């Protein structure tokens, strides 16, 4: 049996190149993993996590279930390309085994089996396989057609804006678009000359056979197979440098994630898996308010990851992000976009400075005494009504409270962290942790979602329960310690990014509002809520731009026609208050006003 | 001799020497953040400052000095800032003060 023909050379070269390139990347990335990560892999290798990862690979990398849920047509496009191609390979493999038995057949023998069949004198066709392979080819071709369609009409597939691609992506994309039509032509020509094949290539072959004289068919035959093989080869060569590297990156990423590896505030080798797992699907573009409200089109996560991957990340792109998490919430690959953005910033300016914040030594401005600590947060000192309301509530329930920063405190450190100054931030973390420990509190209530998130994610406060004031209030009401009057007023609630998407606190503030009045939801709420635009994470956009973001978001709150707009973050409060004439209050104020006598 | 404490001290006599001050860095900073020229020196940033509440850190003084081309000690002093962002919220001219802190440090420091 012979399984070699000159036209297979592009394919063979491409495949070897692809294999070497991907293997090199994988080996380098894994070898450079820090010790903690390698230990995690060793520890979790034989665990249920591995089984869960296998299932997730099938569900997400092949079937693309998450994209399906978002938009069925878009999901079908991804699925037909990925799963269809995968089945073509698997079924093709089985087909050759059925025909030839378990023999050592080189790779090109499987891939171009239709070419080698007549060459090796195999005449008896198995209709089941012929039809099946044609059906699969049709499935993939549908995917390709949809991909074309998406280029011209992305809106129909639930995407208002599609990704702008770089050169390598364009090469790979063009090659990919040609692979399957080329296969269709080559196999149809084979059918025209040698008979056989299923409903698609067979029928098309018969048609061509009647249309064209045999001499033309034989002249076209080799070039057609050459074209198919070259498209495959070109695609494979471009693949490791293009977005299509995501195919070979998402799979190990899923396993590593199940083995509990995570990106951190400092860059590490694991980040490579996350960065290159991005398929540049562009789903993260639409939710970005910088794009929608400000017309900034170069900073969305897809472009940030692309720039970082090709080492062309500018300071501006790294910094121009609200870290609102709206993109992370929809990313079908589940990339930790915020953490990656932070550690990209860290690399740029994390210069430790001895003596920095030396003034923190032996500083203690706290007052009061109690097991419950109240940390208003820097921003809350600009919204004194929040602090006064909390004080009234503490008094009403007779809570003994230690006030951490009533007379000026130290920042929680998250703003520094968001700017990439993680080393400096650690000094704040150490200072505040020590302060809390020294005053032996067991509960820590904060009015600022930014502080809340840093206490939860960046502090080690074992033995101290950290609550946002909305959670604390919810608990007081539920436990009957605080009785409130149910009033007539209606409130439209804004989910702060750091509280909602950031800390998954959605229900408590809503329950609190419902206890005192009527709750109204804006068009975008909960996981889908809009950012107020004043996020500390963005140091690029100016005042007027912040205001534009705030205005659109506030308009949705106004549209509910509620008596007042309620939020639970001092920063959001400020941003909303300056873009509306409606009443804006914090949830603590709402409760304090409605304490039952 | 004991002096009365009026709650304020007397500044050292000083002069702004615009002929000798090197304005190159100052100009570079203003070129990147032109809005700084809109500063009216109101001092709201200093008044609201978290770091200023616990030390004698004075943000308005620092960015004013930088604009005049007086950079000595500014980098070290500016690293007292906690980047908390209160100043940005109160600035009546809407100056991106946090961005400014980072910009000045970037231009004056060696990173
Ligand atoms: S970051 Fe996620 S959503 Fe955005 S392009 Fe990449 S894979 Fe798609
Ligand atoms: S975090 Fe928000 S601002 Fe940043 S890229 Fe994502 S959607 Fe845009
Ligand atoms: S960001 Fe810096 S300068 Fe501004 S208020 Fe906070 S500590 Fe002061
Ligand atoms: S608050 Fe704004 S305008 Fe006032 S001194 Fe500070 S930067 Fe200048």
């Amino acid at each position: 049996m012979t399984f070699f023909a000159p036209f297979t050379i592009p394919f063979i070269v491409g495949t070897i190149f692809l294999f070497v390139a991907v293997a090199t990347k994988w080996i380098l990335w894994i070898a450079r993993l820090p010790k903690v990560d390698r230990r995690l892999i060793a520890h979790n290798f034989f665990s249920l996590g591995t089984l869960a990862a296998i299932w997730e690979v099938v569900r997400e990398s092949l079937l693309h279930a998450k994209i399906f849920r978002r938009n069925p047509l878009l999901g079908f496009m991804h699925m037909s390309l990925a799963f269809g191609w995968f089945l073509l390979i698997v079924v093709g493999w089985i087909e050759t085994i059925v025909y030839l038995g378990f023999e050592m057949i080189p790779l090109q023998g499987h891939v171009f089996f239709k070419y080698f069949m007549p060459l090796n004198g195999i005449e008896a066709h198995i209709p089941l396989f012929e039809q099946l392979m044609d059906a699969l080819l049709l499935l993939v071709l549908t995917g390709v057609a949809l991909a074309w369609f998406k280029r011209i009409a992305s809106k129909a597939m639930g995407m208002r804006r599609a990704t702008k691609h770089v050169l390598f992506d364009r090469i790979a994309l063009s090659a990919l678009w040609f692979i399957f039509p080329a296969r269709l032509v080559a196999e149809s020509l084979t059918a025209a000359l040698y008979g056989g094949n299923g409903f698609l290539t067979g029928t098309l072959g018969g048609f061509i056979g009647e249309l064209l004289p045999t001499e033309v068919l034989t002249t076209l035959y080799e070039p057609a197979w050459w074209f198919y093989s070259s498209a495959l080869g070109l695609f494979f060569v471009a693949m490791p440098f293009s977005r299509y590297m995501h195919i070979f990156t998402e799979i190990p990423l899923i396993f590593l994630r199940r083995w509990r590896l995570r990106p951190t505030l400092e860059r590490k080798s694991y980040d490579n898996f996350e960065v290159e797992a991005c398929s540049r699907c562009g789903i993260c573009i639409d939710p970005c308010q910088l794009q929608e409200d400000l017309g900034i089109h170069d900073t969305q996560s897809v472009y940030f990851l692309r720039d970082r991957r090709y080492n062309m990340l500018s300071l501006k792109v790294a910094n121009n992000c609200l870290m609102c998490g709206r993109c992370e919430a929809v990313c079908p690959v589940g990339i930790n976009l915020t953490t990656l953005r932070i550690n990209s910033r860290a690399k740029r300016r994390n210069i430790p400075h001895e003596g920095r914040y030396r003034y923190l030594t032996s500083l203690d401005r706290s007052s009061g005494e109690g097991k419950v600590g109240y940390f208003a947060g820097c921003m809350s000192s600009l919204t004194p009504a929040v602090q006064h309301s909390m004080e009234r509530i503490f008094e009403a329930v007779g809570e003994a409270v230690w006030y951490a920063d009533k007379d000026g405190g130290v920042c929680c450190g998250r703003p520094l962290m968001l700017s990439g100054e993680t080393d400096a931030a650690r000094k704040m973390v150490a200072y505040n942790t020590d302060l809390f420990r020294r005053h032996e509190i067991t509960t820590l209530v904060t009015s600022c979602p930014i502080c809340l998130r840093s206490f939860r994610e960046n502090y080690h406060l074992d033995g101290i329960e950290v609550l946002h004031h909305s959670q604390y209030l919810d608990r007081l009401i539920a436990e009957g310690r605080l009785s409130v009057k149910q009033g007539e007023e209606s409130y439209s609630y804004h989910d702060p990014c750091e509280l909602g998407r950031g800390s998954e606190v959605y229900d408590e503030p809503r329950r609190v509002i419902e206890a005192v009045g009527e709750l109204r939801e804006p068009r975008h709420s909960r996981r889908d809520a809009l950012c107020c635009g004043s996020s500390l994470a963005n140091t690029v956009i100016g005042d007027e731009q912040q205001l534009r973001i705030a205005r659109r978001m506030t308009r949705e709150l106004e549209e509910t026609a509620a008596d007042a707009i309620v939020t639970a973050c001092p920063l959001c409060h400020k941003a909303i208050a300056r873009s509306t004439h409606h009443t804006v209050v914090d949830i603590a104020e709402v409760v304090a006003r409605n304490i039952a006598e | 001799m004991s002096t009365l404490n009026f709650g304020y001290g007397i500044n050292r006599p000083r002069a702004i020497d615009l002929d000798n001050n090197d304005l190159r860095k100052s100009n570079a900073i203003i070129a990147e953040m032109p809005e700084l020229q809109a500063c009216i020196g109101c001092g709201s940033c200093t008044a609201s400052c978290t770091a200023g509440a616990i030390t004698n850190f004075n943000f308005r003084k620092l960015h004013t000095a930088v604009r005049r081309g007086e950079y000595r000690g500014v980098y070290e002093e500016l690293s007292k800032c906690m980047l908390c962002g209160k100043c940005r919220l109160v600035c009546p001219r809407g100056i991106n003060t946090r961005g400014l802190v980072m910009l000045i440090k970037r231009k004056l420091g060696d990173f």
Side-chain angles (χ1 to χ4, degrees):
Chain A
M1 293 237 148
T2 150
F3 287 110
F4 182 77
F7 82 88
T8 56
I9 292 173
F11 165 79
I12 295 171
V13 172
T15 314
I16 294 173
F17 183 86
L18 175 65
F19 181 80
V20 173
V22 172
T24 315
K25 283 194 180 207
W26 278 16
I27 292 168
L28 283 181
W29 293 345
I30 295 201
R32 287 179 189 157
L33 280 179
K35 218 183 244 150
V36 256
D37 283 354
R38 268 182 281 155
R39 218 175 285 143
L40 274 173
I41 297 179
H43 188 254
N44 294 318
F45 195 81
F46 296 103
S47 70
L48 283 179
T50 309
L51 289 180
I54 295 173
W55 171 231
E56 193 182 330
V57 167
V58 174
R59 211 182 52 218
E60 294 306 332
S61 301
L62 289 177
L63 300 177
H64 292 91
K66 275 193 207 141
I67 307 184
F68 246 105
R69 249 174 279 142
R70 215 187 126 70
N71 180 297
L73 200 55
L74 194 65
F76 181 77
M77 180 195 100
H78 282 94
M79 185 277 274
S80 54
L81 284 170
F83 194 51
W85 198 351
F86 174 76
L87 284 183
L88 264 183
I89 297 170
V90 175
V91 177
W93 210 273
I94 301 173
E95 185 186 25
T96 47
I97 292 173
V98 171
Y99 274 102
L100 306 170
F102 287 96
E103 234 186 283
M104 234 341 258
I105 302 163
L107 198 60
Q108 74 272 19
H110 290 280
V111 175
F112 305 113
F113 187 59
K114 289 275 152 56
Y115 178 91
F116 291 112
M117 271 171 80
L119 201 67
N120 288 313
I122 306 169
E123 272 170 15
H125 290 267
I126 304 174
L128 172 72
F129 279 109
E130 309 262 85
Q131 302 293 7
L132 199 57
M133 289 297 278
D134 266 14
L136 291 173
L137 183 58
L138 184 64
L139 180 68
V140 180
L141 282 170
T142 325
V144 174
L146 281 173
W148 279 337
F149 178 63
K150 188 183 137 201
R151 282 280 115 188
I152 48 168
S154 58
K155 238 180 223 164
M157 301 179 81
M159 289 174 63
R160 273 167 295 161
R161 242 168 214 285
T163 320
K164 289 194 285 296
H165 290 304
V166 293
L167 184 67
F168 265 120
D169 287 347
R170 286 179 194 281
I171 295 175
L173 188 69
S174 314
L176 179 64
W177 282 355
F178 279 122
I179 290 174
F180 296 96
R183 177 171 176 153
L184 178 71
V185 172
E187 291 194 353
S188 301
L189 278 171
T190 315
L193 283 169
Y194 302 100
N197 284 4
F199 67 94
L200 186 65
T201 50
T203 318
L204 196 61
F207 188 69
I208 303 175
E210 278 180 23
L211 210 67
L212 301 173
T214 322
E215 305 85 73
V216 180
L217 290 180
T218 38
T219 338
L220 287 179
Y221 188 57
E222 286 289 327
W225 283 100
W226 266 97
F227 188 67
Y228 173 36
S229 164
S230 308
L232 272 175
L234 184 63
F235 180 66
F236 289 166
V237 170
M239 211 174 173
F241 309 107
S242 72
R243 59 199 290 237
Y244 297 101
M245 182 62 202
H246 84 91
I247 300 170
F248 297 110
T249 315
E250 191 183 351
I251 297 169
L253 173 68
I254 288 174
F255 280 91
L256 295 177
R257 205 153 46 195
R258 290 281 177 179
W259 294 332
R260 306 195 182 287
L261 273 69
R262 295 284 180 274
T264 54
L265 296 179
E266 272 91 30
R267 285 184 172 215
K268 56 179 185 173
S269 182
Y270 172 76
D271 297 356
N272 289 313
F273 287 97
E274 296 227 338
V275 170
E276 301 212 1
C278 166
S279 61
R280 291 182 211 149
C281 64
I283 289 178
C284 53
I285 298 177
D286 280 345
C288 183
Q289 289 164 265
L290 296 179
Q291 180 262 137
E292 170 112 47
D293 296 340
L294 305 183
I296 297 172
H297 297 300
D298 62 353
T299 197
Q300 286 69 35
S301 288
V302 53
Y303 302 123
F304 154 70
L305 289 178
R306 178 197 66 193
D307 291 0
R308 176 159 165 182
R309 175 173 168 192
Y310 297 129
N311 269 325
M312 50 183 207
L313 184 63
S314 69
L315 193 61
K316 192 162 170 211
V317 167
N319 282 344
N320 200 359
C321 169
L322 301 162
M323 293 195 187
C324 63
R326 282 172 58 78
C327 50
E328 197 169 313
V330 296
C331 172
V333 188
I335 301 171
N336 287 292
L337 299 166
T338 309
T339 314
L340 291 178
R341 184 85 71 155
I342 293 180
N343 71 27
S344 300
R345 295 177 180 181
K347 190 191 172 203
R348 293 170 168 272
R349 70 175 86 81
N350 205 8
I351 302 295
H353 176 323
E354 279 312 307
R356 194 170 176 187
Y357 305 122
R358 199 173 277 147
Y359 62 83
L360 295 180
T361 327
S362 72
L363 179 80
D364 189 345
R365 293 279 187 96
S366 66
S367 55
E369 231 172 274
K371 289 283 163 217
V372 175
Y374 178 62
F375 191 97
C378 302
M379 291 289 172
S380 305
S381 63
L382 295 178
T383 51
V386 178
Q387 294 193 48
H388 294 153
S389 303
M390 284 310 290
E391 282 165 29
R392 273 186 59 197
I393 293 163
F394 287 136
E395 203 180 310
V397 297
E399 191 91 84
V401 179
W402 167 75
Y403 292 93
D405 57 353
K406 202 171 175 175
D407 189 27
V410 170
C411 176
C412 68
R414 189 160 173 86
L416 281 163
M417 234 171 271
L418 293 178
S419 304
E421 301 202 37
T422 38
D423 286 341
R426 287 211 177 91
K427 302 207 170 172
M428 317 270 123
V429 173
Y431 169 81
N432 283 315
T433 308
D434 178 58
L435 193 70
F436 301 152
R437 294 270 180 235
R438 229 168 334 112
H439 289 274
E440 299 179 335
I441 54 168
T442 53
T443 308
L444 178 61
V445 181
T446 176
S447 286
C448 177
I450 305 167
C451 305
L452 176 79
R453 192 154 178 207
S454 74
F455 290 151
R456 289 204 174 155
E457 290 179 14
N458 310 114
Y459 284 61
H460 297 285
L461 294 176
D462 310 310
I464 302 178
E465 189 186 22
V466 181
L467 296 174
H468 181 250
H469 70 289
S470 65
Q471 296 176 300
Y472 175 74
L473 295 173
D474 177 48
R475 193 177 290 182
L476 289 182
I477 296 170
E479 287 172 355
R481 287 177 64 193
L482 181 70
S483 42
V484 286
K485 305 188 286 253
Q486 173 81 40
E488 294 288 302
E489 268 194 272
S490 55
Y491 302 98
S492 154
Y493 178 66
H494 165 70
D495 285 284
C497 298
E498 295 276 48
L499 189 65
R501 279 181 298 271
S503 310
E504 307 254 296
V505 176
Y506 297 110
D507 298 327
E508 292 92 330
R510 288 182 165 76
R511 274 202 297 269
V512 171
I513 293 172
E514 279 171 341
V516 294
E518 182 202 336
L519 170 71
R520 296 207 184 147
E521 301 273 0
R523 198 155 62 82
H524 290 88
S525 77
R526 291 186 176 255
R527 243 173 106 75
D528 215 17
L530 295 174
C531 173
C532 72
S534 279
S535 166
L536 290 175
N538 194 316
T539 46
V540 175
I541 60 170
D543 192 57
E544 186 267 338
Q545 287 170 305
Q546 288 190 330
L547 198 56
R548 248 191 291 164
I549 297 179
R551 286 226 173 95
R552 181 172 73 100
M553 164 261 180
T554 307
R555 211 176 312 131
E556 290 194 1
L557 290 162
E558 293 169 347
E559 276 163 10
T560 64
D563 298 319
I565 295 170
V566 184
T567 187
C569 168
L571 194 51
C572 297
H573 188 292
K574 286 270 170 209
I576 301 171
R578 69 180 191 141
S579 26
T580 184
H581 298 300
H582 289 235
T583 321
V584 187
V585 282
D586 187 275
I587 195 160
E589 295 174 67
V590 176
V591 172
R593 277 188 211 160
N594 288 286
I595 299 177
E597 300 306 325
Chain B
M1 198 177 84
S2 69
T3 44
L4 266 179
N5 182 5
F6 289 107
Y8 55 84
I10 299 167
N11 274 347
R12 272 189 298 122
R14 60 190 297 284
I16 308 162
D17 188 354
L18 284 177
D19 288 334
N20 285 327
N21 287 357
D22 179 0
L23 290 176
R24 260 175 304 176
K25 284 190 173 171
S26 163
N27 289 339
I29 288 166
I30 290 174
E32 267 195 52
M33 200 174 279
E35 65 204 67
L36 183 56
Q37 294 170 101
C39 170
I40 48 171
C42 68
S44 301
C45 47
T46 295
S48 66
C49 179
T50 308
I54 46 188
T55 67
N56 56 6
F57 172 71
N58 184 336
F59 183 41
R60 178 188 61 168
K61 190 168 156 188
L62 291 173
H63 65 69
T64 309
V66 167
R67 260 184 301 151
R68 291 175 182 158
E70 297 171 349
Y71 315 113
R72 193 174 305 132
V74 170
Y75 177 80
E76 290 72 21
E77 188 64 13
L78 209 51
S79 67
K80 283 183 181 167
C81 161
M82 306 192 212
L83 278 182
C84 71
K86 272 162 83 175
C87 47
R88 188 173 186 182
L89 280 184
V90 297
C91 176
R93 306 311 302 256
I95 294 170
N96 177 359
T97 51
R98 284 178 79 241
L100 178 63
V101 172
M102 285 155 54
L103 175 63
I104 295 179
K105 284 201 293 180
R106 197 162 70 238
K107 292 285 183 205
L108 297 189
D110 44 9
F111 64 101

